[in-house]
Amino acid sequence: ERGRLGGTCVNVGCVPKKLFVYGADVRRQVNDAAKLGWNVPTATHHWPTLRDNVNAEVTRLNGAYARIVESAGAEILRGHARLDGPERVLFRDEAGHERAIRARHVLLATGAHPHRPSFPGAELAWVSDDVFTLERLPRSVVIVGAGYIGLEFATIFAGLGVEVTLLARHDHVLPHFDRAVSEFVAKQLDARGVKVVFEEDVVRIERVGDRLDSHSARGTVFSSEQVLLAVGRRPETRELGLETVGVAMRGAAVAVDAHYRTSVPNVHAVGDLIGHLQLTPVALAEGQALARTLFGGGEPQSIDYRAIPTAVFTTPTVATVGLTEAQARGRGTPLAIFETEFRPMKATVTGSPMRAFMKLVVDRDTDELLGVHVVGDDAGEIVQGFAVVIAMHGKKRDLDRTIGIHPTAAEELVTMRTATRIDPLAA
C-alpha cells in the first residue's frame, strides 16, 4: 500500500464526506430550532475544527485497519508494487529498496482516483481529494459535474455558507438515477441555495486576479473564488505493470470475468479498478467472493449486481435500490408506478421548504418489486431495509400487507395503494 490504509472510502470518500455532511447540516437544524421553541444564539462555523476532527477520525480508522490486517496474519508493506510476471510482483519501499515477491495468485485492488480533464487551466481547480485538507473555505465555488460527488459537495459547501454554482452537462442532475428522482433533487438543491445551471460543459479555466473564470462550450463565463472538478473517478491502473504481463483492459478499467479473473490466469482484480460499481460494499463483496473461489474449496462465486443499494449523501439524502423506471421499461414488461411527494412532518412546524419523494417500480405481470427510490432525511437507512425485499424478489402485495410505523416517512412505502401510472398488461 502506497497510501493510507482504507482506500478511497475511509480517507477521501464516504467516511470523511458523511462527517462533513453532519457538520454542514447543523445550520439547517439551528434554523429549525426557533420554531421548535429553542432560543439559539447566532451560530458561526469554524472550518478548521470540523476538518481537523474529521481527519483525526480518519487517522484512527487507519490504525484500526492496520490492526485488523496484522491480526489476521498478513504483512503490510508500505510502498509501491507492480507486476513483473504472472506470479511475480516487484515491490519498492519508501526508501527506494526493491524486492521481488512471488505468489500463486496476485490480486489487484488499487481503487480509483479523481479524474482531472485535460482542458486548459484544469490544474487551477480542485478535485474531490483536495477538499478534505482545505486551509479555509472559499467564499464561492463553481462545481463542475452533477453526479453524486458534485451534488454531495454542493450541499456540504452550501450548508457551510459558501455560495455554490453547480454546472450540469445534461439537462438534469444525477444522470444515472431515476429521472423523477433527478428532477426532484434539482428542486431541493435550489431550496438549499445551490444554483444549478444545466447543459453547461466547461472547456477552460482562467485565473483573473483572485478569482477563477470557468468558460463553457456555450460561451458562458462563471466566476468564482474556487472551482471543484467533480467529473468522476478513473480506475487506478498507473504504473502497475499491466502491460508487462498482458492484462487486458475494458476501456479504462481492468477486464475480468464473472469470477474476477483477468486475462492472465493467476492475476485477479476487484473493486473500483474493474469499473463495475464504484461502491465500497461492492468491492468488499467482490473480495470475499474471490477469496471463497480461490480458497473456499467450493464452486466459483460472484455477487448479484441487480440488488445493490446506493445513497447520495446530499441534504436531503437520495437512496435507491433496484431498477429505475427507464431500466425496467427497457425490459419490455408492463409496469405499475407508485409515486408520492410530501412535506415531512417536522417541516409542518419549522416551515422548512424541504420535501420528500418516494417511488416504487413494480412489474405489473408478476407484481415483483423492481425498484425503490427515496429522497428525504434518513433515506439511506430506509432503503437499506427495502434492499432485502428486492434481493428476495419480493412482491408489491408483500408491502401492502406490511403494517407501517406511524408517524414515520418510511411508512409511505408500505401505504402507497394507488398507482400513479399503470401500463397495459402484456399480451
Side-chain angles (χ1 to χ4, degrees):
E1 175 58 62
R2 63 184 179 187
R4 294 182 291 175
L5 294 184
T8 296
C9 177
V10 169
N11 296 292
V12 288
C14 326
V15 171
K17 172 193 65 187
K18 192 169 184 182
L19 291 171
F20 281 173
V21 169
Y22 288 140
D25 197 39
V26 171
R27 177 189 295 267
R28 181 175 65 135
Q29 297 169 25
V30 169
N31 290 339
D32 287 347
K35 291 293 183 67
L36 296 171
W38 291 93
N39 295 317
V40 181
T42 301
T44 59
H45 186 264
H46 188 245
W47 164 254
T49 299
L50 175 60
R51 178 201 63 205
D52 293 349
N53 285 339
V54 169
N55 286 333
E57 172 60 9
V58 169
T59 300
R60 184 192 70 80
L61 290 172
N62 295 151
Y65 274 95
R67 290 189 294 275
I68 289 170
V69 172
E70 290 168 344
S71 65
E75 180 184 9
I76 300 173
L77 300 179
R78 305 281 184 171
H80 178 72
R82 61 181 174 85
L83 294 173
D84 196 42
E87 298 182 2
R88 174 183 162 101
V89 170
L90 193 62
F91 172 73
R92 184 178 66 253
D93 66 20
E94 294 167 335
H97 303 120
E98 290 191 342
R99 62 181 271 200
I101 304 170
R102 290 189 176 274
R104 182 179 175 186
H105 299 285
V106 176
L107 171 60
L108 305 174
T110 50
H113 62 272
H115 174 58
R116 188 185 295 274
S118 58
F119 60 68
E123 72 282 356
L124 299 173
W126 296 329
V127 292
S128 59
D129 287 3
D130 299 322
V131 177
F132 300 99
T133 54
L134 295 181
E135 287 297 315
R136 65 174 184 85
L137 290 177
R139 291 181 295 275
S140 61
V141 63
V142 164
I143 298 179
V144 182
Y148 73 95
I149 296 175
L151 263 63
E152 287 170 340
F153 279 116
T155 54
I156 289 170
F157 280 127
L160 296 174
V162 178
E163 178 185 317
V164 180
T165 302
L166 180 76
L167 305 184
R169 176 180 294 182
H170 305 284
D171 63 353
H172 57 289
V173 300
L174 295 177
H176 301 298
F177 285 69
D178 190 273
R179 185 59 181 258
V181 168
S182 300
E183 293 173 354
F184 182 81
V185 169
K187 296 176 184 177
Q188 298 307 294
L189 288 172
D190 181 70
R192 289 284 286 168
V194 175
K195 180 183 179 182
V196 183
V197 184
F198 297 104
E199 297 182 303
E200 291 284 10
D201 194 12
V202 172
V203 294
R204 77 177 189 277
I205 300 174
E206 295 178 345
R207 181 170 294 283
V208 180
D210 60 352
R211 298 180 70 79
L212 295 176
D213 283 354
S214 299
H215 296 257
S216 78
R218 298 170 62 176
T220 314
V221 179
F222 300 92
S223 184
S224 59
E225 184 177 332
Q226 295 292 347
V227 177
L228 170 62
L229 298 175
V231 290
R233 299 178 69 84
R234 297 292 185 269
E236 184 55 88
T237 60
R238 299 172 295 187
E239 301 179 11
L240 292 185
L242 302 180
E243 65 287 345
T244 301
V245 297
V247 172
M249 305 294 290
R250 182 176 57 85
V254 171
V256 295
D257 65 13
H259 306 297
Y260 313 108
R261 295 175 296 195
T262 72
S263 58
V264 179
N266 300 85
V267 179
H268 315 271
V270 298
D272 291 1
L273 184 66
I274 64 177
H276 284 177
L277 289 170
Q278 293 184 342
L279 299 170
T280 300
V282 172
L284 291 170
E286 290 169 346
Q288 291 169 344
L290 177 63
R292 295 186 185 108
T293 296
L294 296 181
F295 309 112
E299 292 293 321
Q301 296 193 21
S302 185
I303 69 172
D304 179 7
Y305 292 94
R306 182 189 66 91
I308 295 174
T310 188
V312 185
F313 290 105
T314 48
T315 306
T317 304
V318 179
T320 181
V321 61
L323 302 178
T324 67
E325 181 177 345
Q327 290 169 337
R329 204 167 291 286
R331 301 183 354 161
T333 56
L335 304 176
I337 304 298
F338 298 79
E339 292 179 331
T340 182
E341 177 185 331
F342 58 93
R343 193 179 190 187
M345 184 178 184
K346 182 180 176 182
T348 64
V349 175
T350 64
S352 169
M354 307 306 290
R355 296 182 66 81
F357 173 82
M358 296 182 179
K359 179 173 182 174
L360 302 176
V361 180
V362 178
D363 185 323
R364 194 177 178 198
D365 276 348
T366 65
D367 197 45
E368 182 177 348
L369 184 64
L370 301 178
V372 178
H373 309 275
V374 178
V375 185
D377 287 344
D378 300 317
E381 310 294 342
I382 295 169
V383 169
Q384 179 66 79
F386 283 87
V388 178
V389 182
I390 296 287
M392 295 177 66
H393 300 273
K395 310 296 185 182
K396 174 63 168 64
R397 58 180 171 268
D398 294 324
L399 301 190
D400 293 342
R401 63 189 179 88
T402 299
I403 305 299
I405 301 173
H406 184 74
T408 65
E411 69 177 314
E412 293 288 333
L413 290 170
V414 297
T415 57
M416 282 193 280
R417 299 285 192 264
T418 304
T420 309
R421 296 185 302 282
I422 301 177
D423 294 344
L425 287 172

